[in-house]
Amino acid sequence: MATLLYVLHVLGAVLWVGGMAFALFALRPAAHEALEAPQRLALMLGVFRRFFRVLWHVVPIILLTGWTMLGFWYWGFGASIWHVHVMHGTGLLMAGIFVAVALGPFRAMRAALAAGDRAKAAAALDRIRKGVALNLALGLLTVAIAAWGRFGG
Ligand code: HEM
């Protein structure tokens, strides 16, 4: 059981962090090169709509498996496992940023595009990009700390 939770937890982290890296390092620059603003905005809205729909499932799985492992393996939150405590903090921060971006700028972008206001949609997209970039940095840090704490001591 604990192994299954661990596998689900790590797969969730791979999807979340890997998806953000792909969006920022590959998709976004390629869309800038190949597309004019209206097509680019429509593409990025579709990309984030699908990616965020996946994350609404993946993020709770990461948090729930993390909390359950903490209970099963380490007998609660008081245990001295520094890397899991750091992961817990950055994980909660990342989840909060995701929810804020999905309910804030993402919705604003969708509404602006529906109303034909491209400038407003572009400004909202930029806020989404900043939130995703921050979460990518936190996600990479979290994975590095998790791996370091487990194998590096
Ligand atoms: C509520 C938040 C979280 C909790 C309570 C939590 C808890 C845990 C626990 C208990 C383990 C097993 C640790 C071990 O056996 O050494 C683990 C492993 C791991 N977690 Fe998390 N986690 C959380 C969020 C995250 C997030 C957001 C990510 C990445 C984006 C992440 C990535 C990993 C990775 C890569 C491992 C495997 C390396 C390792 O075992 O240390 N975790 N987590």
Side-chain angles (χ1 to χ4, degrees):
M1 175 67 176
T3 309
L4 179 65
L5 293 175
Y6 186 85
V7 169
L8 281 175
H9 187 81
V10 175
L11 283 180
V14 167
L15 279 174
W16 191 2
V17 179
M20 292 191 294
F22 173 74
L24 288 190
F25 296 152
L27 186 67
R28 183 174 174 272
H32 266 272
E33 269 172 24
L35 298 175
E36 297 298 325
Q39 289 84 25
R40 195 170 63 234
L41 288 171
L43 172 75
M44 293 314 284
L45 183 72
V47 165
F48 283 120
R49 181 161 48 82
R50 287 173 178 83
F51 185 46
F52 287 172
R53 198 186 295 147
V54 171
L55 289 187
W56 280 116
H57 297 84
V58 165
V59 172
I61 288 174
I62 294 179
L63 298 185
L64 289 175
T65 52
W67 285 323
T68 314
M69 282 192 290
L70 196 50
F72 271 148
W73 286 5
Y74 300 110
W75 310 107
F77 290 80
S80 68
I81 26 154
W82 68 270
H83 68 293
V84 176
H85 292 308
V86 175
M87 177 164 30
H88 191 197
T90 53
L92 286 177
L93 188 58
M94 286 175 69
I97 292 169
F98 161 63
V99 171
V101 167
L103 299 184
F106 173 69
R107 283 191 172 176
M109 182 185 178
R110 204 174 49 191
L113 274 187
D117 188 341
R118 228 184 292 146
K120 220 173 173 181
L125 178 59
D126 198 52
R127 297 209 307 280
I128 297 174
R129 179 186 62 77
K130 286 182 181 142
V132 173
L134 179 59
N135 254 358
L136 175 59
L138 284 170
L140 291 173
L141 183 74
T142 305
V143 172
I145 286 170
W148 185 270
R150 188 174 174 91
F151 294 108

